[in-house]
């Protein structure tokens, strides 16, 4: 006769099952914690005001539930924007973020339009917001290839980057500087700016 454990008896798992469970719980905890910037990946988090302003702008720009937003290399925005709007994807090289949400997609800007992971997003987004990791012409031009690939023909682009990329933002993305200046949690040496192919400042609301 098979005995079943009583409520007071401790249930022991096999060692291999226990190890798998512990690894799962550790990964879950790591995914839920506040992730620190990885400077080797040129990551710099926005401050809370910038996150709030850009989230509010996305909300103002969006006309409804079917509006699709792609965030490229700006993971500090994802939690706020995806909480405010339903159709948001994050494209990020840092694999720590890929464990957090099924809408977080691996993305390597150096592959440009040849990103295999982006094929299903061809002309998919109504709005893309990008903060390329490096202030170089190569980075802006390759990022531009990606954004042109995933953006709808009449879509909107917001680029947050250093003032130094101004000529490349115009050359490769046909963007103009805006008055809004994104700020970061840490004081960085470069002067930052925003660029867009529409009147972004019209949608900026400051507290």
């Amino acid at each position: 006769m098979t005995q079943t454990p009583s409520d007071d008896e401790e249930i022991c798992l096999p060692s291999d099952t226990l190890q798998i469970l512990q690894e799962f719980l550790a990964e879950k905890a790591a995914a839920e914690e506040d992730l620190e910037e990885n400077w080797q990946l040129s990551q710099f988090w926005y401050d809370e005001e910038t996150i709030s302003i850009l989230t509010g702008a996305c909300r103002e720009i969006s006309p409804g539930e079917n509006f699709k937003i792609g965030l490229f290399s700006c993971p500090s925005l994802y939690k706020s924007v995806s909480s405010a709007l339903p159709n948001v994807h994050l494209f990020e090289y840092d694999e720590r973020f890929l464990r957090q949400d099924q809408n977080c997609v691996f993305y390597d800007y150096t592959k440009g339009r040849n990103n295999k992971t982006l094929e299903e997003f061809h002309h998919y987004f109504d709005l893309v917001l990008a903060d390329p990791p490096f202030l170089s012409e190569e980075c802006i031009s390759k990022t531009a290839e990606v954004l042109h690939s995933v953006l709808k023909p009449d879509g909107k682009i917001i680029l947050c980057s250093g003032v130094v990329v101004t000529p490349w933002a115009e050359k490769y993305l046909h963007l103009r500087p805006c008055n809004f200046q994104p700020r970061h949690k840490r004081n960085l040496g470069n002067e930052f700016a925003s660029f867009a192919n529409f009147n972004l400042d019209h949608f900026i609301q400051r507290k």
Side-chain angles (χ1 to χ4, degrees):
M1 180 176 178
T2 303
Q3 293 184 345
T4 57
S6 67
D7 293 340
D8 296 330
E9 291 179 315
E10 182 178 355
I11 299 176
C12 297
L13 297 175
S15 59
D16 56 343
T17 304
L18 183 60
Q19 181 179 355
I20 293 172
L21 177 60
Q22 290 173 337
E23 290 175 355
F24 169 77
L25 293 175
E27 288 185 3
K28 186 173 184 293
E32 292 176 347
E33 69 181 3
D34 292 331
L35 299 176
E36 295 293 329
E37 299 162 318
N38 184 339
W39 286 12
Q40 291 183 334
L41 297 180
S42 190
Q43 288 180 343
F44 305 101
W45 292 171
Y46 295 127
D47 66 14
E48 293 303 321
E49 182 183 20
T50 295
I51 291 174
S52 176
I53 289 173
L54 288 174
T55 300
C58 289
R59 190 186 297 111
E60 290 294 317
I61 294 166
S62 173
E65 292 185 358
N66 294 324
F67 194 79
K68 300 178 178 65
I69 299 175
L71 305 177
F72 288 79
S73 302
C74 43
S76 61
L77 277 181
Y78 179 68
K79 183 177 180 181
S80 178
V81 177
S82 63
S83 295
L85 295 162
N87 294 309
V88 182
H89 282 77
L90 171 68
F91 297 87
E92 173 57 42
Y93 186 83
D94 187 346
E95 294 186 359
R96 293 180 299 170
F97 292 92
L98 307 185
R99 298 194 298 264
Q100 291 191 328
D101 194 308
Q102 63 180 1
N103 284 356
C104 297
V105 181
F106 179 77
Y107 157 72
D108 181 354
Y109 88 85
T110 64
K111 298 184 183 300
R113 65 170 62 91
N114 296 317
N115 276 274
K116 296 298 183 184
T117 56
L118 302 183
E119 289 180 348
E120 64 181 284
F121 297 101
H122 183 64
H123 291 174
Y124 182 83
F125 292 105
D126 301 283
L127 168 67
V128 292
L129 198 158
D131 190 341
F134 304 108
L135 307 180
S136 67
E137 183 173 7
E138 180 266 348
C139 184
I140 300 302
S141 65
K142 288 290 183 65
T143 300
E145 290 183 10
V146 171
L147 301 188
H148 286 311
S149 174
V150 302
L151 190 67
K152 291 180 179 179
D154 59 347
K156 293 179 170 61
I157 301 175
I158 301 172
L159 177 73
C160 295
S161 190
V163 172
V164 68
V165 312
T166 299
W168 306 322
E170 181 177 354
K171 178 180 179 180
Y172 296 106
L173 287 163
H174 313 296
L175 307 181
R176 294 183 177 181
C178 307
N179 293 326
F180 170 66
Q181 289 183 300
R183 301 185 184 279
H184 301 80
K185 287 184 177 181
R186 304 178 189 272
N187 293 323
L188 305 179
N190 298 301
E191 184 179 359
F192 283 80
S194 63
F195 309 84
N197 61 349
F198 65 101
N199 185 4
L200 171 62
D201 295 315
H202 174 75
F203 298 95
I204 295 296
Q205 297 182 357
R206 295 183 180 274
K207 294 181 179 180

